[in-house]
Amino acid sequence: MDIRVVINTMIELFLQLVLGYGLARLGMIDEEMNQKLSALVVKVSMPALIVASVADKIGKGSLTEVLGFLLWGFLFYGAMIGLAWLITRAMGTPVGQRGTYQFMLIFSNCTFMGYPVMEAIFGTEAIFLNSIFNLPFNLIAFSYGILLISRDGEQKAGFEAKKLLNPGIVAAVLALLIFGLSIPLPRVLSQTLASVGNLTTPLSMLVLGAALAAVPLKEVFREGRIYLMTGFRLVLLPILTFLFMRLVTDQAMLIGIAVMTAAMPVASVSVMLSNQYRGNTRLASIGVFISTVCSVVTIPLVAFLYERLMKL
C-alpha cells in the first residue's frame, strides 16, 4: 500500500476545488454557468462514466464473485440508509436539512476519489470490483437520493416520479445489462464514453468550489453540525462497517472495499443534484468541502488501521 498516492489524490482534488473557488471569485464562473456545468455533470459526463466503468470489464472475473459484490453493495447501501436516518435524528437535525444530511451520510465520494485510492491500497483488481460494489450507488442516488435532496431548500421543490427517469438511472441500468449480458461495445464508443466520463471529477470539483464562493467563508466554519456529521462520515461509519463485515465474511478484498467506501468524504454529486433539483446547495457544498479536507488525514489513517487489523 502506497500512502503517498492516497495523500496525493486528496491534495489534487482539493486543489481543483480551490481553482473553482478562485474562478468564481474572479467572475469567470457565475451562478448561471455553475448551473449549466452541474447539468453537464449530472446529465452527460457522469452517465458516461457509469457506463464506461463496466465497458472494458466484460468477461473479466467470475460471475459468482461479481454477483456477490453486487449483492453486498445493495446490502451496504441499505444499511447506510438506515444508519443515516438514525444519525440525523440523533444529531437533532432540523427538518429542512434532514434530507441533505441523510444524503451526505449515505453517499460517499466512492468514484472520483474511490478509484485511485482503492488502486493504491488493493491493486488494479480493486477498480473493477469497486465499480461493481458501488453500482447500487447510482441506482439509489439518482432515485432515493433525489427524493432526499428535493425535500430541502428554500423553494421546497416537490419530488416528482418522472425524476426517477433520469440519465443517471438509465446509465446505471445500462451498465448492469452490458456487464450481465456481456454486450460488447465498439472500441471507439467505449473510449469516447471514457473520455467524456473523465471530465466528471474536475468539473465536479470546479462546480463545488464555485458554489462555495457564494457562501461567506465565516459560514463554512459556523456550521457546527457539519463537523459532527463529518466525524460520523469519516470515522464512525468505516469502523462500524469493518466490525460488521469482519463478522460475516473473510473476503479481504470485499471487507476492504466496503470499509474504504464508507471512509470516503461526502459525494460531490450532492452539490450537482442540489443545483439541479433546487435543494440546499449551500449545506451540501459545505459538507463536501469540510469532509474532503478532513479526509486528507482520515483516509490514510483508516487504510493503515485496516491493514494492521486484518493481520490480527
Side-chain angles (χ1 to χ4, degrees):
M1 176 173 59
D2 192 341
I3 292 295
R4 291 174 300 178
V5 175
V6 178
I7 295 174
N8 286 339
T9 299
M10 306 299 172
I11 295 173
E12 181 181 347
L13 292 173
F14 179 72
L15 290 177
Q16 291 172 1
L17 183 150
V18 171
L19 177 60
Y21 182 91
L23 292 175
R25 284 295 186 184
L26 292 172
M28 297 178 68
I29 300 179
D30 58 16
E31 184 177 353
E32 182 181 359
M33 183 178 180
N34 210 30
Q35 290 279 350
K36 291 180 179 179
L37 287 175
S38 295
L40 181 61
V41 171
V42 172
K43 297 180 180 180
V44 181
S45 69
M46 181 168 286
L49 181 66
I50 292 170
V51 177
S53 70
V54 299
D56 62 345
K57 309 298 190 305
I58 298 169
K60 297 181 181 179
S62 70
L63 185 60
T64 300
E65 181 184 32
V66 168
L67 291 176
F69 269 74
L70 182 61
L71 175 60
W72 274 110
F74 277 108
L75 293 174
F76 173 86
Y77 281 102
M80 288 298 153
I81 288 172
L83 286 170
W85 187 90
L86 291 172
I87 291 172
T88 52
R89 281 151 182 77
M91 292 193 306
T93 309
V95 173
Q97 297 181 355
R98 285 181 183 175
T100 304
Y101 269 104
Q102 286 183 56
F103 190 101
M104 292 191 292
L105 286 163
I106 296 168
F107 302 105
S108 70
N109 204 337
C110 58
T111 302
F112 314 141
M113 189 177 291
Y115 285 165
V117 170
M118 298 290 183
E119 182 179 17
I121 298 173
F122 306 114
T124 55
E125 180 189 2
I127 298 177
F128 170 56
L129 294 175
N130 179 55
S131 69
I132 296 299
F133 183 85
N134 283 294
L135 274 177
F137 174 105
N138 303 303
L139 291 169
I140 300 169
F142 286 93
S143 53
Y144 181 66
I146 292 176
L147 173 60
L148 292 176
I149 289 293
S150 298
R151 289 176 181 174
D152 298 345
E154 294 180 3
Q155 299 183 43
K156 302 296 181 186
F159 178 77
E160 303 170 10
K162 66 181 181 181
K163 291 177 182 176
L164 295 177
L165 188 60
N166 56 67
I169 283 287
V170 173
V173 173
L174 277 176
L176 285 170
L177 290 175
I178 288 169
F179 183 81
L181 299 177
S182 296
I183 302 173
L185 293 181
R187 183 172 178 79
V188 65
L189 177 57
S190 63
Q191 288 180 333
T192 300
L193 288 172
S195 296
V196 175
N198 287 337
L199 296 172
T200 304
T201 298
L203 283 179
S204 297
M205 292 297 103
L206 290 178
V207 168
L208 172 57
L212 277 170
V215 180
L217 194 58
K218 60 183 179 181
E219 288 191 27
V220 173
F221 301 102
R222 280 182 179 175
E223 198 68 44
R225 196 174 281 108
I226 285 286
Y227 292 92
L228 186 58
M229 181 279 299
T230 298
F232 286 124
R233 164 81 271 164
L234 300 179
V235 180
L236 179 64
L237 291 181
I239 289 175
L240 291 177
T241 300
F242 177 82
L243 293 175
F244 176 75
M245 295 298 292
R246 200 76 165 92
L247 286 174
V248 298
T249 182
D250 58 358
Q251 297 182 60
M253 183 71 78
L254 174 59
I255 296 172
I257 288 176
V259 169
M260 296 314 299
T261 295
M264 294 292 150
V266 174
S268 56
V269 73
S270 61
V271 180
M272 313 311 126
L273 292 178
S274 293
N275 267 333
Q276 286 295 292
Y277 296 99
R278 297 179 295 171
N280 196 331
T281 303
R282 170 189 166 277
L283 185 62
S285 299
I286 295 173
V288 174
F289 173 75
I290 296 297
S291 62
T292 299
V293 171
C294 292
S295 70
V296 174
V297 175
T298 60
I299 286 180
L301 180 60
V302 169
F304 175 78
L305 290 175
Y306 162 80
E307 190 176 49
R308 289 301 180 91
L309 291 173
M310 286 298 292
K311 292 179 179 179
L312 297 179

